[in-house]
Amino acid sequence: MEDHEFRDSLELKPVEMEHVAQFNELLSYVFQFTEADLEESGYESKRELIKSKQPILELSKVFGWFHEDKLISQIAIYPCEVNIHGKLFKMGGVTGVGTYPEYANHGLMQDLIHVALENMRQDKQWISYLYPYSIPYYRRKGWEILSDKLSFKIRDTQLPKQVEVPGLVERVSVDHEDVFSVYARFARQNHGALIRSEFNWEEYWRFENLEERTAAVYYGANQEPLGVLFYWVAEEVFHVKEMFYLNQEARDGLWNFISAHFSMIYWVKGDIYKNEPLAFLLDDSQIKETIEPYFMARIVDVKEFLTAYPFASTAKPFHFIVTDPVAEWNNGIFSLLWDENDQVTISNEPLGNPVHIDIQTLTCLMMNYRRPSYLYRIEHIETDKETLHSLERIIPDQEAYFSDYF
C-alpha cells in the first residue's frame, strides 16, 4: 500500500474511555518493564501497573491515530502547574507517547505532536515538559533540556561533620501533612518545580517499593517543618531519593541525620535535581558525581509565554526572530517593549535589534538552563553585544529544579 493510501485509511481523534483497553495495550508496549522492574516497584503484574496508570487517561487529553478502529499511535497531555521564576504557569506534560513499530516512519507522531501543541495552546498551557526517550528526537520537535539529575556516592568517612542546629529531625510517613506543606513552600521558592496535586504525588511514588518509602522531616526551634528527606537503608547503603529544604539550617539538620547513620553504613548514594555544588560543600570533596540530562521543556506559544514571563528587569526594545519546526504560530518576529510601569508588550513589529533563535534555544534561554552569553558563545544565538547584555540582565539567574516523572 502506498503511503498516501495508508494515511487516507487512518483517523486522528481523541482517545476516550471507551478505548481504555487499547490505550492500556499501547501503554504496556510503550512502558517496557521486566518482571524484575515490576517486583522492585512493588507491582504484582504488568496488568496492575497499567491499571495504576489509567488515571492519566481520565485526567489528560489523549489523541491517537486509529487504523480500522485500532489505536496505533498516541500522545497524552497531562495537565500540570509549574513555578517559572516565581510565577505559576499552566503546563502541559507530554506522556504516554508511542507508536507500534509496524506503523512507524509515516509521520504519525509529528501530527500528534502538532495536535497536542494546538490543544495546549487552547488550554493556555504556554509551556510543556516531558521525559525524553530520545533527546535528539525531541530537540527536532522543539523541546530542549530543562534540568539535570546529579547522582552522587559518598563514603561514610566523607560525610559532613555535625553542625549545631536549633531544631531536630523526626521520621514520619511519606504522606504526612508536614511533608506536603514543606514541598508546597519549596516548589514556590524554586524555579521549574512542579506544584504537586494529589495525583502528582501518586505518580511520584508509583515506581517505588513500599518498603523504601521513609521520610525524615527537619523541624526548626519553633517546631516549624523546614526540610524533608526521602530515603531508605539497605545493605549498608543510605539511599537518598530526594532532599528538599527551605533554608540552610534545614539542610544542615538533614545532613546531620544522614551522618548519624555512620555506624550502620559504608556509602551514601542519592540524586540531586539541581546543579547544587555538593562536593564543594563537603570537607572531603573527592567524591563521585555524575550528571545526566533529566527533563525537557518547550515553549508552546511564544507571544503568550513572553507576555506572562516574569522578567528580572527591563531593557531597550529588541525582537526575537524565532523558528519553530512544528508550531507554525511561533515562526516570526516577537518584539519586547516595556512601558513606564515596567509592563512588557509583545508585538510582531521589528523593534530594536534582532535576536535570531530557534524555539528550543529560546526555551533553554528563558528557563535558564544555560545563560545567554554561553548560548551566544556556542553560536546558538545570533545578536549584537548590547542586546546580549540586555538578555543577561532581564532573564532571572536561577536554575530549574524538577524531580518528578510522568
Side-chain angles (χ1 to χ4, degrees), residues 145-331:
I145 300 168
L146 161 73
S147 63
D148 295 327
K149 181 174 75 171
L150 185 152
S151 300
F152 63 87
K153 184 177 181 180
I154 305 174
R155 272 299 309 269
D156 56 346
T157 55
Q158 296 174 304
L159 284 167
K161 297 176 182 178
Q162 293 276 333
V163 177
E164 186 174 347
V165 292
L168 53 84
V169 171
E170 293 183 14
R171 288 183 290 118
V172 301
S173 64
V174 295
D175 58 357
H176 192 281
E177 61 180 358
D178 290 341
V179 170
F180 297 150
S181 68
V182 172
Y183 180 80
R185 293 173 64 189
F186 174 84
R188 283 163 174 76
Q189 289 182 5
N190 284 267
H191 161 59
L194 180 70
I195 308 302
R196 289 180 190 154
S197 66
E198 182 178 348
F199 185 69
N200 294 144
W201 275 108
E202 292 177 9
E203 282 291 290
Y204 179 86
W205 289 111
R206 191 169 302 286
F207 301 106
E208 299 294 334
N209 194 306
L210 284 171
E211 296 176 356
E212 299 174 353
R213 303 182 186 187
T214 309
V217 177
Y218 175 80
Y219 293 90
N222 61 355
Q223 284 299 299
E224 179 185 7
L226 298 173
V228 173
L229 168 69
F230 294 138
Y231 76 98
W232 75 96
V233 180
E235 299 180 353
E236 300 181 317
V237 177
F238 190 106
H239 297 268
V240 176
K241 175 175 171 58
E242 185 178 11
M243 182 191 297
F244 47 90
Y245 43 84
L246 305 180
N247 55 30
Q248 183 64 25
E249 175 195 325
R251 180 188 180 279
D252 289 338
L254 292 173
W255 273 105
N256 285 349
F257 176 76
I258 296 173
S259 296
H261 290 75
F262 177 84
S263 62
M264 302 167 52
I265 61 174
Y266 283 121
W267 296 99
V268 176
K269 296 180 181 179
D271 297 316
I272 296 174
Y273 296 89
K274 193 174 185 178
N275 188 15
E276 181 183 66
L278 177 62
F280 179 76
L281 295 171
L282 299 175
D283 290 335
D284 184 351
S285 294
Q286 290 184 318
I287 68 172
K288 183 178 180 180
E289 294 178 302
T290 58
I291 299 176
E292 61 178 321
Y294 188 53
F295 252 66
M296 300 183 81
R298 188 199 207 283
I299 295 173
V300 173
D301 188 301
V302 171
K303 182 175 183 179
E304 297 294 347
F305 181 81
L306 292 177
T307 300
Y309 188 83
F311 290 97
S313 183
T314 62
K316 291 173 58 178
F318 69 92
H319 62 279
F320 290 111
I321 301 178
V322 181
T323 56
D324 190 319
V326 180
E328 65 278 359
W329 54 85
N330 288 332
N331 286 309

Side-chain angles (χ1 to χ4, degrees), residues 76-103:
I77 309 165
Y78 182 32
C80 302
E81 190 175 31
V82 292
N83 170 8
I84 296 181
H85 297 302
K87 185 172 182 178
L88 300 188
F89 279 67
K90 293 171 67 177
M91 182 270 284
V94 174
T95 186
V97 178
T99 303
Y100 286 119
E102 61 269 32
Y103 299 105

